[in-house]
Amino acid sequence: MLRSIEQIVIHCSASLNGRSLGGGGQSAAEVMDAWHSRRGFMRRAAACRAFNPRLPALGYHWVIDCGGVLESGRSIDEPGAHVAGHNAHSIGICLVGTDAFTASQWAALASQIRYLQRRFPTAHIVGHRDLSPDLNGDGNISPNEYRKTCPGFSVAAWLAGGMQPLPRHLIGGVNAAL
Ligand SMILES: [Zn+2]
């Protein structure tokens, strides 16, 4: 049975900006899989056998390394392990970096989000930090309530700008994207 998708959540890897995780025989998803394995994440055995068995722990559905390659992690129908309390009905996408990304990463993210919007038209596109608890109960998640800064930029601002790279979060500056 297909699960319902209510949120598409954007993350960052909190590793060095512009430094690819893949290379040396391992992909970015494989490197992150090892991180998640050390944190005790473990995919259900049947799901892992059926889809990307080389990634037994990875919590995300996609990873985008600095070169802009979109790498698949968990299957869409498999709940992720990426945002406490919201995994059952969400999809997680992780950009490699902390708060600045390459033009290729921004392009790959926009392309994948557009695809997911067509597939799940009612899903909300949010950043991990937007799902922080509303501590003061005012209905808004204000910056002092961000449990984490992930993904390092405002997803709302990025969406409002038509999914163009946010200049302050673009490696190489605006000219590099031209
Ligand atoms: Zn995150």
Side-chain angles (χ1 to χ4, degrees), residues 117-130:
Q117 281 181 317
R118 287 192 298 273
R119 188 156 171 185
F120 304 104
T122 59
H124 297 285
I125 317 292
V126 297
H128 186 179
R129 67 187 189 185
D130 301 320

Side-chain angles (χ1 to χ4, degrees), residues 47-159:
C48 188
R49 268 198 306 277
F51 197 83
N52 283 337
R54 70 192 166 83
L55 302 170
L58 184 68
Y60 305 117
H61 296 87
W62 284 281
V63 170
I64 301 175
D65 207 354
C66 297
V69 171
L70 177 78
E71 200 179 350
S72 145
R74 297 196 185 200
S75 109
I76 285 182
D77 282 329
E78 182 182 354
H82 57 98
V83 49
H86 297 275
N87 285 311
H89 300 289
S90 69
I91 285 172
I93 304 179
C94 182
L95 294 161
V96 171
T98 294
D99 59 8
F101 309 99
T102 66
S104 303
Q105 284 178 296
W106 284 114
L109 180 66
S111 153
Q112 184 65 5
I113 293 294
R114 288 201 179 92
Y115 161 74
L116 291 169
Q117 281 181 317
R118 287 192 298 273
R119 188 156 171 185
F120 304 104
T122 59
H124 297 285
I125 317 292
V126 297
H128 186 179
R129 67 187 189 185
D130 301 320
L131 296 174
S132 303
D134 176 19
L135 298 176
N136 65 4
D138 69 357
N140 293 308
I141 305 297
S142 45
N144 64 348
E145 291 171 336
Y146 288 169
R147 182 170 279 180
K148 306 177 77 168
T149 59
C150 176
F153 66 95
S154 163
V155 170
W158 176 68
L159 293 171

